[in-house]
């Protein structure tokens, strides 16, 4: 009985044919064709970076992406048409502002240029929420999270803590009254100052948005970027670097005390 117990508890060894040497056995995730992808070792030896650098964003050309971003925002001038009145209205439609107060101090302004020609529905939702009165738009909402490696998270018009949000009623539909679809990923998160929707899922954009403080390639194709900071980037950087946070939550009250269309 004791022998049977020992046999049942002894682990079974890998059975290898006598003619097979251990050096010829191929193991998972070893060699140059492991779990990280094909040929990573050759790329590393060629000076193209290690495993952690080889992937979706390794060959990212920021100069080219910045040029595309400039072309997207330049579409606003082409979409304005001729005439002074049209140009004036077009300019008003392309910029919005946020007056942000830290700890009840005097508010400082952030001016945002909007890609109205390329992303009209997303920009319309943002502008309408900026123009809404208190308790219905961005006015009096809090900055609810500071992601040190990404940016500032704002725009929760429902619960003010990042757990909820809703789009403007004129933007929503009967099938989706609180959110709208992803309009397009034409603007890339190439550096600080990019304003982007914070959607909890595909085609679920509401009111929440973020302002990047650094390059964020992981957001491309996931969040719809629709604007960039034109004035007041120093305000964004001061908030991101000078405010102490607990698990990303600011310890002082940072609030949008005023907003609108320029």
């Amino acid at each position: 009985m004791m022998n049977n117990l020992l046999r049942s508890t002894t682990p079974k060894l890998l059975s290898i044919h006598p003619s097979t040497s251990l050096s010829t056995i191929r193991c998972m995730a070893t060699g140059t064709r492991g779990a990280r992808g094909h040929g990573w070792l050759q790329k590393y030896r060629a000076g193209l970076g290690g495993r952690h650098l080889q992937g979706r964003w390794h060959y990212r050309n920021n100069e080219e992406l910045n040029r595309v971003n400039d072309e997207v925002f330049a579409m606003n001038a082409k979409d304005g048409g001729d005439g002074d009145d049209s140009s004036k209205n077009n300019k008003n439609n392309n910029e919005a502002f946020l007056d942000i107060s830290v700890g009840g101090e005097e508010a400082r302004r952030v001016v945002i240029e909007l890609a109205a020609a390329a992303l009209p529905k997303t920009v319309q939702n943002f502008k309408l929420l900026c123009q809404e009165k208190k308790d219905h738009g961005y006015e009096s909402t809090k900055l609810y999270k500071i992601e040190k490696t990404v940016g500032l998270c704002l725009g929760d018009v429902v619960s003010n803590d990042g757990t909820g949000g809703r789009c403007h009623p004129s933007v929503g539909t009967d099938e989706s009254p609180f959110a709208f679809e992803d309009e397009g990923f034409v603007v890339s998160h190439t550096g600080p100052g990019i304003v982007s929707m914070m959607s909890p899922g595909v085609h679920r954009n509401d009111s929440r948005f973020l302002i990047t403080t650094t390059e964020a390639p992981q957001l491309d194709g996931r969040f719809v970027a629709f604007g960039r900071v034109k004035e007041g980037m120093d305000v964004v950087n001061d908030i991101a670097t000078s405010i102490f946070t607990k698990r990303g939550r600011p310890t002082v009250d940072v609030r949008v005390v005023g907003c609108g269309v320029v």
Side-chain angles (χ1 to χ4, degrees):
M1 181 176 182
M2 183 61 67
N3 293 334
N4 294 334
L5 180 61
L6 290 174
R7 281 196 297 268
S8 62
T9 57
T10 302
K12 293 184 178 180
L13 298 177
L14 179 65
S15 60
I16 304 175
H17 193 273
S19 62
T20 305
S21 63
L22 292 177
S23 60
T24 60
I25 299 177
R26 184 166 180 172
C27 300
M28 186 64 180
T30 60
T32 61
R33 297 180 180 270
R36 294 283 182 167
H38 294 290
W40 72 267
L41 185 56
Q42 284 87 344
K43 294 179 182 178
Y44 173 74
R45 289 171 174 170
L48 300 179
R51 293 187 180 187
H52 64 293
L53 295 178
Q54 298 177 15
R56 181 176 176 185
W57 310 292
H58 181 61
Y59 301 106
R60 181 181 175 88
N61 189 340
N62 272 355
E63 292 184 0
E64 178 68 18
L65 293 177
N66 281 325
R67 185 185 63 81
V68 174
N69 287 354
D70 292 337
E71 291 180 355
V72 171
F73 286 99
M75 292 172 59
N76 294 332
K78 299 177 182 179
D79 192 56
D82 298 330
D84 295 338
D85 294 339
S86 178
S87 300
K88 183 178 179 181
N89 293 334
N90 186 59
K91 181 179 179 180
N92 292 338
N93 289 335
N94 296 341
E95 294 181 5
F97 70 89
L98 302 173
D99 292 332
I100 303 177
S101 174
V102 179
E105 298 180 355
E106 184 179 358
R108 301 169 66 186
R109 176 162 293 190
V110 177
V111 179
I112 301 171
E113 181 184 6
L114 305 172
L119 303 166
K121 189 170 186 178
T122 306
V123 170
Q124 180 190 10
N125 177 69
F126 185 79
K127 290 190 302 179
L128 291 174
L129 290 173
C130 285
Q131 295 172 324
E132 280 287 345
K133 300 299 182 181
K134 186 177 179 179
D135 299 330
H136 296 283
Y138 289 141
E139 186 177 348
S140 78
T141 58
K142 294 181 179 180
L143 185 152
Y144 58 85
K145 197 169 186 180
I146 301 176
E147 292 286 356
K148 296 294 186 179
T149 59
V150 181
L152 311 182
C153 304
L154 309 93
D156 186 352
V157 300
V158 176
S159 54
N160 242 346
D161 59 1
T163 59
R166 66 168 183 270
C167 65
H168 194 271
S170 63
V171 177
T173 61
D174 294 337
E175 295 78 12
S176 180
F178 303 110
F180 60 97
E181 70 280 359
D182 297 329
E183 197 170 11
F185 303 101
V186 294
V187 178
S188 302
H189 302 79
T190 55
I194 299 297
V195 185
S196 179
M197 298 300 297
M198 285 190 63
S199 59
V202 179
H203 301 311
R204 294 175 61 187
N205 298 287
D206 42 47
S207 59
R208 290 168 287 182
F209 67 96
L210 66 87
I211 304 176
T212 62
T213 55
T214 183
E215 181 186 1
Q218 69 274 19
L219 303 183
D220 288 349
R222 180 180 178 185
F223 291 165
V224 178
F226 62 93
R228 59 185 177 183
V229 175
K230 184 177 181 180
E231 300 175 10
M233 194 61 206
D234 57 329
V235 180
V236 176
N237 290 329
D238 289 346
I239 294 174
T241 57
S242 63
I243 295 180
F244 182 74
T245 61
K246 292 183 178 180
R247 294 185 177 180
R249 304 289 180 176
T251 55
V252 298
D253 185 70
V254 184
R255 192 178 293 268
V256 178
V257 296
C259 55
V261 175
V262 177

